[in-house]
Amino acid sequence: MSAFLYAATRTPFGRFNGALAGVRPDDLAAAAITSTLARVPRLDPAAIDDVVWGNANGAGEENRNVGRMAALLAGLPVSVPGTTVNRLCGSSLDAAMTASRTIESGDAEVVLTGGVESMTRAPWVLPKSAKPFPPGDVTAVSTTLGWRLVNPRMPKEWTVSLGESNEQLQERFGISRERQDEFAARSHQLAHAAWESGFYDGLVTPVEGVDLARDEGIRPGSTPEVLAGLKPVFRTAEQGGTITAGNASPLNDGASAVLLGSERAASAIGADPIARIAGRGVMALEPQSFGYAPVEAANRALARAGIGWDQVGAVELNEAFAVQSLACVDAWKIDPGIVNQKGGAIAIGHPLGASGGRILATLAKVLRETGQRYGVAAICIGVGQGLAVVLENCDVTGAKR
């Protein structure tokens, strides 16, 4: 038995402290659920066997199982269960992978997956002291991004910042600042062109009460020359720093949802499947090497799908940083032109828990638009992990059902 993608939508991705800053993450998640189910009006929501939802931070308003809370807020019957998974940046892709296994095992016919993150609303946290009423100062720790409340037993080389990790990656592979800026400018230009052409119209639904129709961070005027004027953030130029605010993904708010089901669920869903989950892969490296982990994750997913890179016609690789994206593309030895053809996270944004669902849905639509049979969705994950999924286009003659 196989698992299939039937419908998917997402909210526009807002900037940090931007248009979506006033929206709770559980409400963002509910909006993505509502808009996705609107694509399949014949589906009785009571027929959804489970909701599997991704979220990375889990420290604020999305705490206490945001998957279940979002399902209730979206008006799903109380009989529809829900769970939340956390694999940091890969959470919503992990949710889809988990759901696909459940469907393949026969334990479910229809599973709603997705993810959410409001990086704007991520709170500061105060650790509890070992004793009451500590005499000294207590530091509030931001939960927006990166390591926090680190266990002192962790080796120092593991817990460097995400940016420093990727500066190490550019040293290792000799990826220049110029290549990074060119890649970042391409992301903005392609994302803008995709919006202008109407590609995202069917994938993105505005959040009710918010005046935001498109992804807020896209800057169509970005060029390599403009980006070259930005200063490095994590190392100085004198220290060889190459990563800037322009060639790395920003902080964002948003949600995505993907409806999966078995082949026989098509009649209950009232729609034909769009793509089949053909392979899955997971990989882990040293925590500071997280940006390179998608390389082997994708290779494993392809092996499980029984195909090679020569059969892949489209790749959606989450652009956490331009340097790690380039390192992965170089390692795969693929045509860069098939990667992120509709822009990537550097332009669109990277609300951690929502990005996996975004790249999976975008990949499915790109495959349909181009007529390619196979595509790969891959994402790097903090603390050294990577995930990948192979999709097979159901519109292509000979696609396995």
Side-chain angles (χ1 to χ4, degrees), residues 13 15-16 180-181 183-193 195-196 214-224 226-228 230 244-252 319 343-349:
F13 286 176
R15 290 177 179 170
F16 188 81
Q180 294 177 53
D181 288 344
F183 184 88
R186 172 184 182 269
S187 182
H188 285 281
Q189 292 160 10
L190 290 178
H192 176 69
W195 270 109
E196 289 295 299
R214 295 187 176 189
D215 301 307
E216 198 172 13
I218 298 171
R219 299 186 297 275
S222 293
T223 65
V226 169
L227 295 177
L230 299 177
T244 72
N247 58 35
S249 61
L251 306 179
N252 297 94
E319 299 167 356
I346 289 173
I348 293 167

Side-chain angles (χ1 to χ4, degrees), residues 57-116:
N57 280 328
E61 295 157 333
E62 74 279 74
N63 77 92
R64 309 297 291 174
N65 192 359
V66 68
R68 171 64 171 168
M69 301 302 180
L72 293 172
L73 289 167
L76 270 61
V78 296
S79 59
V80 177
T83 188
T84 301
V85 300
N86 184 349
R87 205 189 288 256
L88 300 181
C89 303
S91 295
S92 52
L93 193 61
D94 203 19
M97 293 167 71
T98 298
S100 67
R101 295 185 190 102
T102 304
I103 292 166
E104 290 171 7
S105 73
D107 285 349
E109 295 292 331
V110 181
V111 182
L112 181 63
T113 77
V116 66

Side-chain angles (χ1 to χ4, degrees), residues 101-388:
R101 295 185 190 102
T102 304
I103 292 166
E104 290 171 7
S105 73
D107 285 349
E109 295 292 331
V110 181
V111 182
L112 181 63
T113 77
V116 66
E117 211 72 54
S118 175
M119 300 179 80
T120 298
R121 298 175 74 91
W124 294 278
V125 297
L126 287 174
K128 288 185 176 179
S129 61
K131 297 179 180 180
F133 311 116
D137 295 334
V138 179
T139 301
V141 178
S142 173
T143 64
T144 299
L145 182 70
W147 293 87
R148 77 286 305 255
L149 304 177
V150 180
N151 190 316
R153 294 176 55 228
M154 285 281 186
K156 297 298 183 184
E157 63 269 22
W158 287 0
T159 62
V160 296
S161 72
L162 303 181
E164 172 57 26
S165 295
N166 279 273
E167 289 288 14
Q168 293 178 16
L169 202 63
Q170 68 86 8
E171 283 185 324
R172 175 180 170 188
F173 292 106
I175 298 173
S176 69
R177 165 75 184 270
E178 290 72 24
R179 283 192 70 195
Q180 294 177 53
D181 288 344
E182 288 169 1
F183 184 88
R186 172 184 182 269
S187 182
H188 285 281
Q189 292 160 10
L190 290 178
H192 176 69
W195 270 109
E196 289 295 299
S197 71
F199 176 86
Y200 284 116
D201 291 349
L203 285 178
V204 180
T205 303
V207 177
E208 186 176 354
V210 177
D211 184 18
L212 181 66
R214 295 187 176 189
D215 301 307
E216 198 172 13
I218 298 171
R219 299 186 297 275
S222 293
T223 65
E225 293 75 24
V226 169
L227 295 177
L230 299 177
K231 293 182 179 180
V233 176
F234 303 99
R235 296 181 182 178
T236 66
E238 292 72 25
Q239 293 170 328
T242 62
I243 298 173
T244 72
N247 58 35
S249 61
L251 306 179
N252 297 94
D253 309 327
S256 63
V258 178
L259 183 69
L260 300 179
S262 66
E263 182 179 6
R264 61 176 172 240
S267 58
I269 293 172
D272 292 329
I274 297 170
R276 181 177 74 93
I277 307 292
R280 297 171 294 259
V282 58
M283 180 61 182
L285 301 171
E286 301 86 354
Q288 70 273 26
S289 300
F290 74 93
Y292 199 63
V295 172
E296 185 57 26
N299 290 340
R300 291 180 179 187
L302 288 168
R304 287 165 184 156
I307 64 171
W309 278 109
D310 60 324
Q311 294 170 269
V312 174
V315 174
E316 285 294 320
L317 172 62
N318 193 61
E319 299 167 356
F321 294 83
V323 65
Q324 61 82 208
S325 300
L326 288 164
C328 291
V329 173
D330 290 350
W332 291 326
K333 295 180 172 61
I334 58 175
D335 176 5
I338 70 171
V339 179
N340 299 351
Q341 299 171 58
K342 306 300 177 179
I346 289 173
I348 293 167
H350 180 22
L352 308 178
S355 289
R358 177 190 73 79
I359 63 173
L360 195 63
T362 302
L363 177 64
K365 188 167 183 180
V366 168
L367 290 176
R368 286 195 124 182
E369 183 182 81
T370 61
Q372 295 292 328
R373 180 168 179 174
Y374 291 107
V376 173
I379 194 164
C380 68
I381 301 164
V383 201
Q385 297 190 83
L387 291 177

